[in-house]
């Protein structure tokens, strides 16, 4: 039973790291993030969108696990998870699974995606300045100035809406 559980967890980790899974999540967030607002009030439509999200994620994970593991049963896997809840709580996979079913985490993802879409992501700017030239004791090499790089976050321009 432990080998089977480990096999499922390994397959689940692979599925969650796949580009297809990431793209699916990003597309969903991109499609629905504009509905969300960064207030404490939760609109009824949020529940509908969250239900669609959990259906999408659960359906995808279930389908991919059935493709990867012969005789996979989500019901049996959920029972295995419940039996190992304490040992699983410290794992990244468990955190990820819980996040798919947690509305507050979902709302944070939507708001972060909305901010990024509107140009509120973190932008970095690099400024360079000339510094003193250091000469090695060897005379057969070229002399290069040291670059003093300073990287600072800058506010990004707001997206212009017409």
């Amino acid at each position: 039973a432990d080998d089977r559980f480990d096999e499922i967890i390994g397959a689940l980790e692979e599925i969650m790291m796949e580009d297809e899974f990431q793209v699916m999540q990003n597309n969903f967030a991109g499609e629905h993030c504009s509905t969300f607002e960064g207030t404490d009030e939760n609109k009824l439509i949020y529940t509908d969108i969250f239900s669609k999200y959990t259906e999408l994620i659960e359906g995808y994970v279930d389908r991919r696990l059935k493709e990867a593991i012969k005789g996979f049963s989500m019901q049996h896997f959920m029972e295995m998870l419940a039996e190992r809840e304490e040992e699983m709580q410290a794992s990244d996979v468990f955190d990820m699974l819980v996040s798919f079913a947690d509305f507050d985490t979902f709302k944070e993802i939507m708001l972060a995606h909305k901010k990024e879409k509107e140009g509120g992501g973190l932008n970095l700017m690099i400024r360079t300045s000339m510094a003193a030239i250091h000469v090695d004791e060897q005379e057969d090499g070229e002399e290069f100035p040291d670059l003093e790089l300073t990287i600072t976050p800058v506010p990004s321009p707001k997206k212009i809406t017409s």
Side-chain angles (χ1 to χ4, degrees), residues 13 29 31 49 52 67 84 95 97 117 119 129 132 147 160:
E13 286 174 336
E31 193 176 320
I49 294 170
K52 288 178 189 171
E67 290 170 6
R84 294 166 175 80
D95 289 345
L97 288 173
K117 199 173 178 183
S129 61
L147 292 179
I160 300 170

Side-chain angles (χ1 to χ4, degrees), residues 18-72:
E18 290 174 347
D19 288 341
E20 183 182 345
F21 184 74
Q22 304 297 325
V23 167
M24 180 187 69
Q25 281 188 294
N26 283 334
N27 288 346
F28 186 91
E31 193 176 320
H32 297 284
C33 67
S34 60
T35 307
F36 288 79
E37 296 171 5
T39 63
D40 289 339
E41 181 185 343
N42 290 322
K43 298 179 181 178
L44 188 57
I45 185 112
Y46 296 177
T47 307
D48 296 338
I49 294 170
F50 180 61
S51 294
K52 288 178 189 171
Y53 176 74
T54 53
E55 276 179 39
L56 178 72
I57 297 295
E58 287 173 4
Y60 180 83
V61 168
D62 188 48
R63 179 177 57 82
R64 292 289 292 118
L65 283 172
K66 283 179 178 170
E67 290 170 6
I69 297 171
K70 189 176 178 169
F72 174 79

